[in-house]
Amino acid sequence: MTAPTVGQRGRLRISRDDAAAGLAGAAAGAVTVGTGTLLTLVAGPSSDPLVAVGSAFVDATPGWLRDWAVAVLGTADKFALGIGEVLVLAALAALAGVLARRSWTWGAVLVVALGGLAALAATTRPDAGPLAPVPALAGAAAGLFAMRALVGRLPTPPTGRTDRPVDAGPDRRAFLRATALVATLGVLGAVVGRVVTAGARGAEAVREALRLPVATRPAPVPPAAVSVGVEGVEPWATPPGDFYRIDTALVVPQVDPARWRLRVHGMVEQEVEIGWDELLASDLVEAWVTLACVSNPVGGGLVGNQRWLGLPVREVLARAVPAPDADMVLSRSVDGFTASTPIEAFTDDRDALLAIAMDGEPLPPEHGFPVRLVVPGLYGYVSATKWVTELEVTRFERAEAYWTTRGWWPRGPVKTQSRIEVPRPGADVPAGDVVVAGTAWAQHRGVERVQVRVDDGPWQDCDLAADGGIDTWRQWRWAWRDAPTGEHLLAVRAWDPDGPQTGVPTAVVPDGASGYDTLTVTVT
Ligand SMILES: Nc1nc2c(c(=O)[nH]1)N[C@H]1C(S)=C(S)[C@@H](COP(=O)(O)O)O[C@H]1N2
Ligand SMILES: [Mo]
């Protein structure tokens, strides 16, 4: 018997030939992916079928699920998505093989449908080029070809071909060898495609060769005293390599500065376009700004502080002359992400920048090379568009940004927050004097005071490190004198000019987490 049969217990029995057909299908799937990945080299990184489908999936992901993924997987969410995708694809490809052995048409229909979906996903990417559907379609064709060759070697149910023995050793071994070869070729294609793409990062080479102009208004050198001097506290200036990365891009967009342009349009008196050379020749300023993600849970690490170099957005907007009733600027990146920024954050005197550098170096590709927005006081999702290419002057009631359509608030001012970094949660600390320290932030308002509470005791004032400006975070420390032995609950709160941060805990959705960072320590 070669057909799956329903056994006495009602279980589906899968025959050896079905298993073989499944293997053949999976091998053909590898060929599809390998071919697609190789063709990505000509059609562009976002046309990669796996990337395109993954990106479409990311865009279709509801806010809560994305939130969960970020919370559980952190910045490994992209990797996890890739693994999940490969597993699902392998299962579907195996199914196509099983179907194909029974009815070539149905197997082929499944492959063509999957290829068509991937092609559709690739063509509907905001940065799709004219060749975008080619890798998926050519990959599906190659997969069909491989599947035909492999499945064709297996007997077809229900009238299994009697002219060759079904389970004969040599035949089956030849089949397995052919399948392994096909699978290897497919995987090899995928690996070579990936490696070459990674090596051919056009923007990376250009980035290395860039020389940055000096700022007409450099940022002040922060005094050493911005650091509170307690080991275990996050550095005041976040090393760029440690800076959190959050975005929807499965492949880092490669933008050639020579071809970069920013278009300012919408409710303006005149459209303005500015290119890379013009941007570099402008009067650039430098500023220390602490960036925070709205998905940062209380006590979390999706926040970082750096020195940015760029052109104040207000100067570009002034040239376009926004209409007086415009209240929002929708910024758009090359990969289609959008952010809705209240226009006053761009036109008032804060250092809202079209930034080209971080820590004195051109932006790292994953942080927006060549140009991104940095806006003090607002969460990244409503302001910090990386790989930015467009500013549309509009009104909140007329346009919605990427995360707003997914349930997040259209405006996202950063909530005043504080974090205990020393001691670590659950730590055992020796009795006596215990140093408690951490970081607080209230971007564009300024941290005025930080207090710590032990158990249900009174709030106690902490020592603040030197102030790096109202747009940056501020370190603090508190000497806990004669800490009594036992388990204790520490809590922290920061004050901005409007008073203390709220202790009412809220989730990160829809406008950022609030509540006190608390932790338990055992004094021994
Ligand atoms: N093009 C693009 N820009 C983006 C995003 C994105 O998904 N795509 N995410 C935003 C969010 S939610 C945050 S918190 C910041 C993070 O910037 P970073 O990755 O440089 O830390 O980038 C913002 N800019
Ligand atoms: Mo974010």
Side-chain angles (χ1 to χ4, degrees):
M1 270 299 265
T2 51
T5 48
V6 178
Q8 297 94 315
R9 300 227 170 87
R11 289 242 178 107
L12 189 72
R13 284 217 337 254
I14 294 178
S15 76
R16 284 233 242 161
D17 285 326
D18 279 318
L23 274 186
V31 167
T32 299
V33 170
T35 309
T37 312
L38 282 176
L39 286 173
T40 297
L41 297 176
V42 280
S46 66
S47 71
D48 183 315
L50 284 180
V51 170
V53 171
S55 304
F57 179 81
V58 166
D59 287 352
T61 303
W64 62 265
L65 184 56
R66 173 254 188 190
D67 184 39
W68 174 88
V70 169
V72 175
L73 305 162
T75 30
D77 56 346
K78 292 186 172 76
F79 182 71
L81 174 66
I83 300 283
E85 228 190 314
V86 168
L87 292 180
V88 169
L89 181 68
L92 287 171
L95 177 65
V98 173
L99 283 178
R101 193 177 67 94
R102 290 145 190 287
S103 144
W104 170 253
T105 310
W106 284 112
V109 163
L110 180 53
V111 173
V112 170
L114 290 174
L117 271 182
L120 185 69
T123 32
T124 51
R125 287 283 87 208
D127 51 349
L131 298 178
V134 171
L137 295 180
L144 276 182
F145 185 76
M147 192 165 79
R148 173 118 236 179
L150 293 175
V151 174
R153 289 165 167 257
L154 296 170
T156 348
T159 49
R161 297 204 340 233
T162 45
D163 55 338
R164 63 170 132 167
V166 171
D167 284 317
D171 219 19
R172 192 152 292 268
R173 239 174 282 140
F175 167 82
L176 287 177
R177 258 204 305 275
T179 305
L181 179 71
V182 165
T184 309
L185 284 178
V187 171
L188 210 65
V191 170
V192 168
R194 288 278 146 135
V195 169
V196 176
T197 318
R201 292 266 157 91
E204 190 82 53
V206 180
R207 180 181 177 270
E208 305 276 278
L210 270 184
R211 308 204 107 261
L212 289 175
V214 287
T216 44
R217 196 204 72 198
V221 177
V226 293
S227 170
V228 83
V230 174
E231 207 187 306
V233 171
E234 287 282 312
W236 184 81
T238 311
D242 294 344
F243 209 94
Y244 80 94
R245 174 191 169 196
I246 288 288
D247 56 59
T248 59
L250 292 184
V251 283
V252 176
Q254 303 293 304
V255 183
D256 180 358
R259 286 201 265 164
W260 175 86
R261 300 195 70 73
L262 178 83
R263 192 162 81 90
V264 187
H265 64 109
M267 298 171 66
V268 293
E269 246 168 52
Q270 64 190 56
E271 280 197 26
V272 169
E273 265 202 31
I274 156 167
W276 177 248
D277 290 337
E278 201 183 336
L279 181 58
L280 255 61
S282 312
D283 286 344
L284 303 182
V285 305
E286 243 184 358
W288 286 94
V289 177
T290 299
L291 215 63
C293 181
V294 69
S295 291
N296 194 35
V298 172
L302 299 178
V303 51
N305 182 44
Q306 253 307 336
R307 179 168 52 101
W308 310 91
L309 169 72
L311 177 65
V313 181
R314 97 178 65 83
E315 289 176 21
V316 186
L317 279 183
R319 282 169 48 190
V321 193
D325 56 335
D327 65 2
M328 188 258 269
V329 175
L330 191 74
S331 53
R332 183 173 279 114
S333 76
V334 64
D335 68 346
F337 171 86
T338 51
S340 52
T341 309
I343 197 165
E344 62 273 13
F346 283 145
T347 51
D348 67 18
D349 63 355
R350 82 185 77 188
D351 292 317
L353 302 179
L354 269 172
I356 60 165
M358 176 186 195
D359 195 26
E361 297 287 336
L363 294 175
E366 63 276 23
H367 292 293
F369 181 80
V371 187
R372 75 171 304 168
L373 290 169
V374 171
V375 184
L378 303 179
Y379 285 123
Y381 82 108
V382 290
S383 69
T385 304
K386 305 190 269 189
W387 315 288
V388 65
T389 54
E390 227 181 278
L391 299 181
E392 181 185 348
V393 178
T394 180
R395 292 183 55 80
F396 276 101
E397 74 216 17
R398 289 191 195 168
E400 280 197 328
Y402 187 93
W403 287 113
T404 309
T405 59
R406 289 160 175 81
W408 298 72
W409 277 61
R411 299 164 200 257
V414 174
K415 293 183 180 177
T416 296
Q417 263 299 347
S418 48
R419 188 170 74 184
I420 304 174
E421 293 158 27
V422 174
R424 312 300 303 170
D428 289 337
V429 293
D433 292 351
V434 174
V435 174
V436 182
T439 306
W441 54 90
Q443 287 93 313
H444 211 56
R445 299 182 297 280
V447 172
E448 302 215 319
R449 197 170 167 193
V450 176
Q451 294 175 311
V452 165
R453 185 177 67 185
V454 180
D455 302 320
D456 291 326
W459 288 105
Q460 320 234 22
D461 282 332
C462 306
D463 298 324
L464 293 183
D467 191 0
I470 59 170
D471 295 338
T472 66
W473 60 14
R474 195 158 183 188
Q475 298 188 354
W476 57 268
R477 63 177 282 163
W478 180 64
W480 183 9
R481 304 264 174 239
D482 298 321
T485 55
E487 209 176 83
H488 298 286
L489 184 71
L490 300 177
V492 63
R493 72 175 183 187
W495 293 59
D496 61 28
D498 296 330
Q501 72 175 81
T502 171
V504 179
T506 60
V508 294
V509 191
D511 64 342
S514 65
Y516 302 139
D517 187 28
T518 57
L519 56 85
T520 309
V521 293
T522 307
V523 179
T524 53

